Amino acid sequence: MSLAEERQLLAGWGRAGKSAARLVSPSCTQEAEKVLAALGNEGGRPAIARGLGRSYGDAAQCGGGTVIDCRGLTAPFEISPSGLCRAGGGLSIDSLLERAVPAGWFVPVTPGTRQVTVGGAIASDVHGKNHHVDGAFAAHLRRLELVAPTGRILCGPEDPAFAASCGGMGLTGVITEATFQLIPIESSRIKVETERAGDLDACMALLAERAEEHRYSVAWVDGLAGGRKLGRSVVTRGDHARPAELPAGAAKDPLAYRPRQRFRAPLAPPLSPLSPATIALMNEVWYRKAPRTSKTSFESIASFFHPLDAVGDWNLLYGTRGFIQYQYVVPFGAEEVVRDSLERLGRAGHPPYLVVLKTFGPPGQGHLSFPREGWTLALDLPLGRAGLAEVLDGLDELVAEAGGRVYLTKDSRLRPELLEQMYPRLPAWREEARRLDPDGIMSSDLDRRLGLRRSPEKKALGK
Amino acid sequence: MNDATGMPQRVLVVGGSSDIARQILLLLARRRLVHVVLCGRDLAAMEEVAGELRRVGVSRAECLSLDLTEPGGLGELAEEATERLGEVDLALFSAGELGSAELEELDAARVSQMVASNFSGQAAIALELAKGLLRQGSGRLVFISSVAGVRVRRANFVYGAAKAGLDSFAIGLSEALRGTGVGVMIVRPGFVRTKMTAGLPAAPFSVGPQEVAAAVLAGLEEGREVVWVPAPLRLVFGLLRLLPQALWRRLPG
Ligand SMILES: Cc1cc2nc3c(=O)[nH]c(=O)nc-3n(C[C@H](O)[C@H](O)[C@H](O)COP(=O)(O)OP(=O)(O)OC[C@H]3O[C@@H](n4cnc5c(N)ncnc54)[C@H](O)[C@@H]3O)c2cc1C
């Protein structure tokens, strides 16, 4: 098989740091194997898998090399009577839910968008609002099929290739198929308790208290509120509703599932309509709308788990320069890092437009998996005004010192010299990645920027 | 790689002993810079900058001898520097030679030489590097132009004309590279107090090399295509460009 030479400019969801690569689109495992074999014969031009491109940074691009578009790897797709799901690596969670929900099944973990592939979910070992009780995606994975440069392998949780591939950012090969356990649901509605918190302490108290009582929990924080209101937020906690609990209308067809995309951002507007002023206004309205004390409501899967999917291509609203999502986790006890982050960004004139805080439970098996016990904070930050680079470099240091880490699938700018401190299992991962890909064919812009595969050139910490 | 905030790890400099380049590199060293190749004539001065960069944590800083007036070696130099860096995230063109504007001091050889060092030599290297960056699928070329090229003055017209050439070349190159992942940024400082301008009376809006460097970093982070230093010069020259020559001639400074 020879590979054509068509170049395409690719970017992550944040739309910054674009690079051009050759795109190849295998439509089955055998074709993926042929692509990797052809790459090997070409002599070391790097390649990386790409799913739906929902990683925010440069994880699914490979400037000057080859990007393997996995969206065609949708087969097989089967759900066994016990809820074991066998899915192609390119199948989207969106298509999966369309079939699974009406049959009474739900994915064990869903990120904040359903527009991700199974392969992408595994390669980033994604987490959902239920991490504190259910762990990340790989915890529910029984088996995966990996096409590595050294060949196709099937592996399970006890295999070294499994721990290297879950959270491995595509750098061990192409995940062509996976088998994982779905969870049973009796309705497609979520019983949600919504409550507002006046400041960060109140918010953290709400998230931490009786955390195990709800399967899902998350706080949306007003990133533009400072001073006494710093960290004011709306906390939602939810569980899959039982049909008996549902209001009359919904109870008639409890497993009905009709997610909809309501709008679509037309084109990247030359000037972003988003600004601190418009965001502050939106946040104010949304905060005031939330009940002061806990109130129960029923929401659809789409509106509870994937609210942003209601607006297609919403990332274009950030304008031509795009944006960064900075997400980290710090251990419990390091609450001050969260407060400091919000304060520093506000003071520097770079307030985050979207802020999400939640708690994580214990880490999983993936060597490079992001979650560990503690607080995880995600911040959407527009690019285009100088000074952000310096503030974030400072936050990297706070996070590393606290024993935390930055999420690679969101990253587009981490200080490479902190990588080993943040990911202490990096040496074990490197060894296994080398075994699966001794010639270093798998690589991405993320890999090159951070030196994931190779020990990077040592650089002393700058002042 | 360049990161999303525009900060490069591997940098090639043409005009490696320039004061402006030195300040830019010192600022980049505080962010992501790991490897730099300085190219220029004055090896001793470049070695000093390289040493300084290593002391602030840049793991590799090397120097290559370059004579911009020798068109024969330019392609090879681009190749050699690229090979050493492995990948070029940012190529900085900061060579500059003010020279003379007195007719009796100028001759054919001098004029050719000034055009080569300020414009054609750098353009030749830039073109070769641009092709490399295209293969790489990403990267950035940064040209230190000058307001002297925006409207040429009697007092430095050969220099100004060469800078005008470089500036126009950079604009054209930027258009040719649109949509490829390779970017171009043009920096137009006013009078900069450097060793090149030592002894000259400072013009209005004069700045130091640190200020130019800070503006370049901000421009990289903001993804700009043109940076004026200081920023008000953009407006000032927008107007000055329209002045009739008879008035322009009489302006002081
Ligand atoms: C609105 C929004 C909300 C989000 N919320 C969350 C969240 O709550 N929790 C969370 O964890 N993440 C979240 N994410 C991030 C997202 O879940 C991950 O980045 C996910 O990996 C994206 O999947 P994808 O198919 O788009 O993969 P891509 O973005 O295309 O690729 C991501 C990584 O996976 C690798 N990869 C993709 N497909 C394969 C394959 N078949 N084989 C091997 N490697 C592969 C790529 O090489 C790359 O390293 C969110 C993203 C968005 C845009």
Side-chain angles (χ1 to χ4, degrees):
Chain A
M1 178 171 183
S2 74
L3 305 168
E5 261 311 323
E6 222 197 301
R7 282 283 186 107
Q8 212 167 311
L9 194 59
L10 296 169
W13 190 246
R15 301 185 69 245
K18 300 183 173 77
S19 72
R22 168 175 71 178
L23 210 61
V24 295
S25 311
S27 59
C28 61
T29 301
Q30 288 69 31
E31 280 184 29
E33 286 183 84
K34 282 187 195 152
V35 167
L36 283 196
L39 285 167
N41 294 338
E42 270 184 356
R45 258 175 78 177
I48 195 72
R50 182 180 178 95
L52 279 159
R54 258 37 176 209
S55 51
Y56 281 75
D58 48 8
Q61 60 199 52
C62 184
T66 305
V67 169
I68 306 169
D69 176 357
C70 296
R71 287 173 300 178
L73 303 173
T74 50
F77 181 21
E78 298 156 13
I79 299 172
S80 81
S82 63
L84 261 188
C85 178
R86 223 182 119 210
L91 190 78
S92 69
I93 302 248
D94 184 37
S95 332
L96 197 162
L97 290 177
E98 233 165 79
R99 169 110 68 97
V101 173
W105 298 105
F106 193 61
V107 279
V109 169
T110 176
T113 170
R114 59 184 176 270
Q115 302 303 340
V116 302
T117 61
V118 166
I122 295 168
S124 302
D125 195 10
V126 299
H127 58 270
K129 298 179 184 183
N130 56 340
H131 189 275
H132 60 291
V133 285
D134 293 327
F137 199 90
H140 308 271
L141 198 55
R142 298 291 168 79
R143 214 171 66 142
L144 62 82
E145 180 184 68
L146 177 76
V147 176
T150 42
R152 187 177 73 100
I153 52 170
L154 288 173
C155 56
E158 58 298 330
D159 296 310
F162 185 91
S165 300
C166 296
M169 303 311 295
L171 294 166
T172 57
V174 180
I175 297 162
T176 42
E177 194 190 308
T179 305
F180 46 95
Q181 180 66 52
L182 301 176
I183 59 168
I185 50 173
E186 292 173 51
S187 89
S188 63
R189 302 303 159 101
I190 312 297
K191 184 180 175 190
V192 186
E193 283 179 26
T194 307
E195 194 168 346
R196 74 193 200 191
D199 60 21
L200 189 61
D201 287 337
C203 168
M204 288 179 148
L206 274 180
L207 281 175
E209 89 189 14
R210 297 177 290 120
E212 336 56 61
E213 284 180 21
H214 295 283
R215 187 164 210 158
Y216 304 105
S217 66
V218 71
W220 291 62
V221 181
D222 181 354
L224 279 109
R228 271 187 303 117
K229 294 184 191 159
L230 185 94
R232 73 170 179 178
S233 41
V234 178
V235 178
T236 52
R237 292 180 282 189
D239 291 281
H240 294 284
R242 279 171 291 114
E245 298 174 305
L246 293 178
K252 256 184 263 155
D253 187 4
L255 287 168
Y257 179 65
R258 282 177 292 269
R260 268 189 310 154
Q261 179 184 297
R262 279 159 226 220
F263 315 99
R264 172 164 287 274
L267 275 173
L271 282 175
S272 168
L274 308 181
S275 73
T278 52
I279 299 285
L281 188 70
M282 279 157 57
N283 286 357
E284 189 70 43
V285 171
W286 148 89
Y287 178 76
R288 292 195 178 205
K289 218 182 70 186
R292 252 173 239 281
T293 53
S294 180
K295 204 182 118 200
T296 305
S297 61
F298 292 89
E299 286 185 32
S300 70
I301 283 172
S303 86
F304 183 73
F305 292 107
H306 314 126
L308 290 166
D309 287 351
V311 185
D313 295 337
W314 59 264
N315 56 340
L316 295 181
L317 297 177
Y318 275 89
T320 46
R321 276 293 282 134
F323 67 109
I324 285 179
Q325 183 172 98
Y326 187 65
Q327 181 175 5
Y328 64 75
V329 56
V330 288
F332 292 121
E335 288 74 19
E336 283 314 302
V337 175
V338 174
R339 183 184 309 279
D340 262 11
S341 311
L342 294 171
E343 269 172 4
R344 283 192 193 193
L345 285 163
R347 234 181 343 202
H350 293 280
Y353 286 6
L354 186 69
V355 184
V356 175
L357 180 68
K358 71 167 266 88
T359 58
F360 274 164
Q365 270 172 302
H367 290 313
L368 297 188
S369 282
F370 167 63
R372 54 149 296 157
E373 235 159 357
W375 297 102
T376 181
L377 184 72
L379 307 154
D380 280 15
L381 298 155
L383 283 165
R385 239 167 36 67
L388 184 61
E390 186 169 355
V391 183
L392 292 181
D393 277 8
L395 295 188
D396 284 348
E397 245 170 81
L398 285 187
V399 170
E401 269 165 32
R405 58 175 69 123
V406 165
Y407 195 3
L408 296 176
T409 206
K410 309 283 178 86
D411 180 57
S412 56
R413 42 117 339 256
L414 175 66
R415 298 176 68 164
E417 62 271 27
L418 295 174
L419 185 73
E420 300 193 31
Q421 191 179 340
M422 290 184 172
Y423 287 90
R425 286 161 69 185
L426 196 61
W429 177 80
R430 278 190 181 136
E431 201 180 306
E432 181 58 16
R434 204 156 36 234
R435 201 181 61 79
L436 293 164
D437 175 24
D439 301 328
I441 288 174
M442 305 312 298
S443 180
S444 59
D445 288 357
L446 174 83
D447 168 39
R448 281 193 278 174
R449 181 166 55 76
L450 296 181
L452 282 163
R453 287 289 309 268
R454 65 188 137 75
S455 311
E457 283 153 77
K458 284 278 172 281
K459 175 167 165 12
L461 285 179
K463 304 270 146 359
Chain B
M1 291 302 306
N2 288 303
D3 72 10
T5 63
M7 296 299 124
Q9 294 174 304
R10 286 155 228 281
V11 173
L12 185 159
V13 184
V14 171
S17 64
S18 103
D19 290 336
I20 292 177
R22 172 170 165 263
Q23 293 298 337
I24 292 173
L25 292 168
L26 286 172
L27 289 186
L28 291 177
R30 283 159 53 174
R31 305 261 86 84
R32 301 288 181 270
L33 188 60
V34 287
H35 190 173
V36 55
V37 173
L38 302 168
C39 310
R41 216 170 18 194
D42 190 345
L43 271 178
M46 291 195 303
E47 283 299 349
E48 219 165 281
V49 177
E52 194 177 3
L53 289 171
R54 284 189 295 264
R55 279 194 297 282
V56 296
V58 177
S59 41
R60 287 176 74 188
E62 319 172 55
C63 305
L64 284 180
S65 171
L66 159 69
D67 184 353
L68 286 165
T69 64
E70 281 295 331
L74 300 178
E76 287 86 85
L77 176 106
E79 217 169 282
E80 162 87 28
T82 305
E83 202 160 295
R84 291 202 185 195
L85 286 165
E87 228 164 71
V88 183
D89 301 330
L90 189 151
L92 173 65
F93 296 87
S94 58
E97 184 192 4
L98 194 51
S100 170
E102 297 312 317
L103 297 187
E104 53 279 17
E105 290 169 20
L106 288 168
D107 57 24
R110 277 296 293 150
V111 170
S112 311
Q113 185 193 332
M114 282 167 66
V115 171
S117 58
N118 287 304
F119 170 32
S120 57
Q122 300 199 84
I125 297 178
L127 190 90
E128 288 303 323
L129 288 174
K131 290 194 211 160
L133 298 192
L134 273 177
R135 279 191 293 278
Q136 221 173 258
S138 73
R140 214 152 180 190
L141 301 144
V142 175
F143 294 88
I144 307 294
S145 174
S146 166
V147 295
V150 174
R151 180 144 191 193
V152 176
R153 296 181 67 91
R154 164 70 190 88
N156 56 17
F157 74 95
V158 184
Y159 172 77
K163 282 289 190 188
L166 185 71
D167 197 296
S168 300
F169 175 84
I171 293 174
L173 187 62
S174 155
E175 291 305 321
L177 293 171
R178 208 157 283 274
T180 62
V182 181
V184 172
M185 183 168 95
I186 302 170
V187 185
R188 297 190 186 127
F191 186 95
V192 189
R193 297 178 298 270
T194 61
K195 51 185 182 265
M196 189 183 87
T197 58
L200 293 179
F205 293 109
S206 73
V207 289
Q210 290 96 332
E211 285 161 273
V212 179
V216 166
L217 258 83
L220 290 176
E221 193 176 344
E222 296 180 348
R224 292 191 183 278
E225 296 185 5
V226 179
V227 172
W228 298 77
V229 204
L233 281 181
R234 174 170 161 242
L235 271 175
V236 172
F237 270 83
L239 294 173
L240 287 180
R241 250 199 282 229
L242 304 175
L243 276 192
Q245 187 69 16
L247 268 179
W248 171 246
R249 182 181 302 138
R250 288 200 198 101
L251 281 193

